[in-house]
Amino acid sequence: MTDDGAHDHDDWTAQTKLIRGGLRRSQFQETAEAIYMSSGYVYESAEEAEAAFKGEHKRYVYSRYANPTVSMFEERLRQLEGAGACMATSSGMAAVFAALMCQLKQGDRVVASRVLFGSCQYIITTILPRFGIDYELVDADDRDGWERALSKPTNVVFLETPGNPTLDVVDLAHVCGLAREAGASVVVDNVFATPVLQRPLEWGADVVIYSATKHIDGQGRSLGGAVLGSESFVADTLQPFLRHTGPSLSPFNAWLLVKGLETLTLRLERMCANAEALADFLAEQPGVTRVRYPTRGESESAQLARRQMDRGGTLVAFELAGGKAHAFKVLNALDVIDISNNLGDSKTLITHPATTTHQRIPADERADMGITDGLVRVSVGLEDVEDLKADLGRALENAAG
Ligand SMILES: *Cc1c(COP(=O)(O)O)cnc(C)c1O
């Protein structure tokens, strides 16, 4: 790569950073970002190799450590988030695991939001305790609960807001303030909100993680993840962990994700508009007892979501009066919308969390989380919302009859 970084401007707005941030052109001056499918790199001399390994000469040495295409993705996302540094991973779960394990040790304590993506819940409640790491779970809106949990010395707070699949919202400013007093670092899984709609670092979070599989790719092509934080956290704590454990993102997948970032804002505008319209539509349908959409209505939680997020996101959840049988009937009667546990895709996807993403969790704990047998989650895509309404309307009518 010959480019010296002339494409990066602090004064660009987020939209321009998404198109041009991190771009480094080779000597061929290609328009699009190049894909460097190379595991290793060569040196002019033994002296150069020695200097590279001593860290005196900053350059690419091995793609488990860094790769030019992966760097372009990391730098573009870093600029959008306004973070000190960013490192990409092979999946969202690799990002979650690394962000936690790189800073935890035996005897430490983690406080987490109760409603979590299934695998995040598994790491915190099953894997971490095996290494002598204690945990406590708190309901998203339980302000006293957060205060009690964080009145004890704590090392890491891990939370999702909005949470999967109930879309509960955590007050980031409140929890980050308590965490600071407790001496804890706050890790936010910002997948549901996306880097466009919510910026946790501005509310006091220390680390933000993404599953880039979701909205960042957004077209069902690739797994990927990222961890963002301060320069010192990444250089001193995260980077050594990632380098030596190896959950590296493939350069080809990094290229898909860097191109995904270019259209992220545009896709989210349409997906959020569709989700808002679909939430309103669902609230009027017979058999639907409750609609969950973070910014909808006048509850305290909806007001908080409107302060904390630019828009409510692309996920809508709703409850059906007839439980699991009712939910299955509706899912099976759909024509346009696909049954899939993935989310953030251009295609609208629907899932029944109690029997899929959260089926591993015991029924009583699921009930505590608000994941009833009648709960259905929709990841709203880019189709014409009128076709989505017609599809859901038909399916709900069929299921009722
Ligand atoms: C999908 C998801 C993850 C895990 O990401 P993968 O890319 O599937 O590993 C973590 N957290 C949330 C909220 C997710 O939706």
Side-chain angles (χ1 to χ4, degrees), residues 163-398:
N164 178 41
T166 52
L167 308 176
D168 293 338
V169 178
V170 177
D171 186 337
L172 284 171
H174 179 232
V175 173
C176 292
L178 295 170
R180 180 139 300 124
E181 283 171 36
S185 149
V186 179
V187 179
V188 176
D189 179 335
N190 204 37
V191 171
F192 273 38
T194 80
V196 172
L197 303 176
Q198 176 172 274
R199 287 160 296 279
L201 298 176
E202 292 177 7
W203 296 103
D206 300 284
V207 177
V208 177
I209 76 95
Y210 290 103
S211 164
T213 317
K214 310 297 167 53
H215 306 82
I216 293 177
D217 173 43
Q219 290 156 86
R221 306 168 296 189
S222 166
L223 296 179
V227 184
L228 298 110
S230 69
E231 257 180 286
S232 63
F233 167 76
V234 171
D236 304 338
T237 307
L238 178 68
Q239 182 166 296
F241 184 90
L242 287 176
R243 280 187 167 197
H244 300 297
T245 57
S248 321
L249 181 63
S250 125
F252 182 75
N253 289 354
W255 179 78
L256 291 171
L257 299 175
V258 90
K259 301 314 274 180
L261 284 174
E262 292 183 355
T263 56
L264 181 62
T265 310
L266 287 174
R267 286 183 285 113
L268 280 167
E269 279 171 14
R270 166 66 77 87
M271 289 158 90
C272 288
N274 281 357
E276 288 157 11
L278 214 58
D280 289 341
F281 173 80
L282 283 165
E284 286 164 13
Q285 302 308 302
V288 174
T289 52
R290 177 173 180 181
V291 172
R292 294 171 177 263
Y293 185 70
T295 51
R296 190 168 186 278
E298 289 311 318
S299 64
E300 249 175 65
S301 162
Q303 292 175 37
L304 167 63
R306 286 197 289 270
R307 282 199 303 280
Q308 202 163 273
M309 303 172 71
D310 291 354
R311 281 177 94 161
T314 69
L315 287 123
V316 180
F318 61 98
E319 308 237 5
L320 289 162
K324 175 183 164 183
H326 193 176
F328 274 32
K329 265 194 196 169
V330 172
L331 263 60
N332 291 337
L334 290 164
D335 222 17
V336 177
I337 300 171
D338 294 308
I339 303 172
S340 173
N341 46 285
N342 198 9
L343 64 98
D345 201 90
S346 54
K347 293 183 172 62
T348 298
L349 307 173
I350 197 162
T351 191
H352 182 246
T355 54
T356 59
T357 53
H358 292 73
Q359 57 102 6
R360 202 186 42 75
I361 298 169
D364 55 329
E365 277 179 52
R366 256 202 326 264
D368 280 348
M369 294 165 81
I371 305 171
T372 62
D373 287 350
L375 185 76
V376 172
R377 189 195 76 190
V378 188
S379 167
V380 184
L382 289 172
E383 301 94 338
D384 190 318
V385 74
E386 295 309 320
D387 289 330
L388 300 176
K389 283 188 203 168
D391 198 32
L392 269 167
R394 231 181 358 246
L396 286 162
E397 209 171 296
N398 269 357

Side-chain angles (χ1 to χ4, degrees), residues 7-206:
H7 299 275
D8 299 321
H9 290 273
D10 281 343
D11 56 335
W12 282 342
T13 65
Q15 181 57 31
T16 303
K17 287 175 178 167
L18 278 175
I19 310 296
R20 294 179 174 276
L23 175 61
R24 297 288 182 278
R25 291 193 166 117
S26 77
Q27 70 272 31
F28 301 117
Q29 294 295 315
E30 61 281 354
T31 311
E33 296 71 12
I35 307 175
Y36 293 89
M37 291 300 284
S38 184
S39 45
Y41 306 86
V42 299
Y43 309 89
E44 289 292 333
S45 65
E47 286 78 7
E48 191 192 357
E50 182 186 32
F53 273 79
K54 274 187 171 168
E56 289 164 358
H57 174 36
K58 246 183 90 74
R59 49 157 290 163
Y60 292 100
V61 297
Y62 191 51
S63 283
R64 170 151 49 77
Y65 296 0
N67 168 280
T69 312
V70 176
S71 299
M72 287 192 259
F73 168 61
E74 291 169 337
E75 176 58 15
R76 189 164 293 180
L77 185 58
R78 184 199 71 75
Q79 290 185 15
L80 175 65
E81 194 77 41
C86 171
M87 286 195 78
T89 56
S90 54
S91 72
M93 287 322 303
V96 171
F97 191 62
L100 292 171
M101 280 312 251
C102 75
Q103 55 178 324
L104 286 166
K105 62 181 187 316
Q106 187 179 15
D108 279 356
R109 179 169 186 272
V110 174
V111 171
S113 52
R114 187 181 310 282
V115 173
L116 293 172
F117 183 74
S119 297
C120 298
Q121 208 254 3
Y122 184 82
I123 288 178
I124 286 168
T125 63
T126 305
I127 297 181
L128 295 187
R130 280 191 217 150
F131 296 87
I133 297 160
D134 233 357
Y135 71 89
E136 181 173 346
L137 303 177
V138 183
D139 288 325
D141 61 354
D142 183 1
R143 298 181 74 86
D144 296 343
W146 286 108
E147 273 163 37
R148 270 196 309 276
L150 290 170
S151 64
K152 296 176 210 155
T154 304
N155 304 86
V156 169
V157 173
F158 181 84
L159 62 90
E160 261 176 51
T161 181
N164 178 41
T166 52
L167 308 176
D168 293 338
V169 178
V170 177
D171 186 337
L172 284 171
H174 179 232
V175 173
C176 292
L178 295 170
R180 180 139 300 124
E181 283 171 36
S185 149
V186 179
V187 179
V188 176
D189 179 335
N190 204 37
V191 171
F192 273 38
T194 80
V196 172
L197 303 176
Q198 176 172 274
R199 287 160 296 279
L201 298 176
E202 292 177 7
W203 296 103
D206 300 284

